[in-house]
Amino acid sequence: MFYIYHIPGKKIGVTRNLNNRVTLVQGYKPDEYEVLDSSEDISYISKKEIELQKSYGYKVDRKLYKNLFKSNMKINATEQTTTFPCAKKDLADLLLDNDGFKWETSIGEFELTEETRRWILANAKTSMYKDDRCYIYNKAFYEAFLAETTYDKENIFGLIRSWADERGIYTKGDVKTQLIKLYEESGELSQGILKNSKPDIVDAIGDCVVVLTNLAHLAGTDIETCIQSAYDEISSRTGKMVNGTFVKTTL
């Protein structure tokens, strides 16, 4: 689905992911912009964007959105680097418009996903030859996403605690700060569910688990104990589904 969004007094644009493009990238909260139109037809949405830009008196894009979407991802992949055809300041928009794009490198196939986009934005460097080009190191991308993981997934909570400890979360944080963080992450989960966005839902659930792991540690226990306690309580519970919710049997 393509969305035409309007930031009053600023601009009218098109995106396939409102949360990423408008909130995370541009910094506007949901109540600070509005959706003017939406459609799965990229040709319709491209023409409508131009019409609305003209009617609202904003700067009109020189290219239709569909043409930008189709032609602007001309990646140059060498043995060492992958270069993107835009300045670093424009990279976020380019990556969002090409979600799912794949390209071959000497060490494997790379793909644009929500997770890899974040990594690229954090690690991209401006080309020393052209200001309107930026690049990443292929080996670094490979190690981050393609190299075989060596950790034991059953010990993932231990890895989370080690990560948090190294960053001072346990020495400088407390249960109250983690509780507030949990509220924030559950809000992100709510947005993902309302948008029916699986990537957003996966990301938010993972973030909630990380926060709960740290909260449990700061509360003097561990998340494994909490999970086991909950399972011991529900394992023998009986009941029935009512309006989509499991209602336990009461005596």
Side-chain angles (χ1 to χ4, degrees):
M1 182 70 72
F2 299 94
Y3 302 92
I4 297 179
Y5 64 90
H6 175 218
I7 303 173
K10 300 292 183 181
K11 65 178 292 188
I12 286 176
V14 173
T15 184
R16 288 186 293 175
N17 191 317
L18 291 165
N19 183 56
N20 278 337
R21 171 66 72 82
V22 188
T23 301
L24 298 181
V25 175
Q26 300 185 50
Y28 291 94
K29 298 177 181 179
D31 60 355
E32 294 179 316
Y33 67 88
E34 59 183 337
V35 176
L36 299 179
D37 203 348
S38 63
S39 174
E40 294 183 355
D41 185 341
I42 190 172
S43 295
Y44 165 79
I45 216 72
S46 298
K47 293 179 181 178
K48 191 65 176 181
E49 178 193 25
I50 300 298
E51 292 176 6
L52 290 170
Q53 287 174 339
K54 290 179 179 179
S55 65
Y56 277 76
Y58 291 121
K59 180 180 178 181
V60 177
D61 291 343
R62 289 183 295 177
K63 289 186 177 182
L64 288 172
Y65 178 78
K66 67 175 183 178
N67 294 334
L68 178 68
F69 179 83
K70 289 181 177 179
S71 65
N72 213 27
M73 200 61 173
K74 298 178 180 178
I75 284 178
N76 180 30
T78 67
E79 183 176 356
Q80 298 293 327
T81 63
T82 289
T83 300
F84 300 96
C86 68
K88 187 174 179 180
K89 65 181 179 64
D90 299 320
L91 184 58
D93 285 350
L94 179 68
L95 299 182
L96 279 170
D97 284 342
N98 289 276
D99 186 41
F101 184 85
K102 298 178 181 179
W103 69 100
E104 289 291 337
T105 73
S106 60
I107 53 178
E109 183 182 76
F110 291 0
E111 180 179 2
L112 286 179
T113 65
E114 182 173 1
E115 188 177 9
T116 61
R117 284 200 308 269
R118 291 180 180 178
W119 186 93
I120 291 170
L121 290 174
N123 292 276
K125 304 179 185 300
T126 299
S127 170
M128 62 185 297
Y129 303 107
K130 293 183 178 181
D131 291 340
D132 61 348
R133 297 288 185 273
C134 57
Y135 66 94
I136 59 170
Y137 287 106
N138 294 336
K139 184 64 164 57
F141 185 102
Y142 172 85
E143 292 296 336
F145 298 103
L146 300 181
E148 291 187 8
T149 56
T150 58
Y151 66 82
D152 181 357
K153 289 187 177 180
E154 292 183 0
N155 190 38
I156 189 65
F157 297 123
L159 292 173
I160 293 172
R161 285 188 288 266
S162 295
W163 171 87
D165 190 38
E166 290 172 0
R167 287 156 179 77
I169 292 176
Y170 296 151
T171 56
K172 298 179 181 179
D174 55 43
V175 291
K176 292 180 181 179
T177 59
Q178 288 303 300
L179 181 59
I180 292 173
K181 185 66 175 174
L182 182 61
Y183 292 154
E184 294 175 359
E185 301 300 350
S186 61
E188 293 292 329
L189 177 57
S190 298
Q191 290 187 30
I193 292 172
L194 290 173
K195 295 186 300 179
N196 194 28
S197 171
K198 184 176 179 180
D200 288 347
I201 292 171
V202 170
D203 184 64
I205 289 176
D207 288 342
C208 286
V209 172
V210 169
V211 174
L212 285 169
T213 302
N214 295 332
L215 195 158
H217 181 86
L218 288 165
T221 183
D222 57 60
I223 194 167
E224 294 93 332
T225 299
C226 298
I227 293 173
Q228 187 64 56
S229 175
Y231 178 74
D232 290 344
E233 182 177 343
I234 68 172
S235 59
S236 59
R237 183 176 292 171
T238 59
K240 61 181 179 179
M241 294 296 294
V242 178
N243 296 326
T245 300
F246 182 79
V247 179
K248 67 179 180 179
T249 301
T250 57
L251 298 178

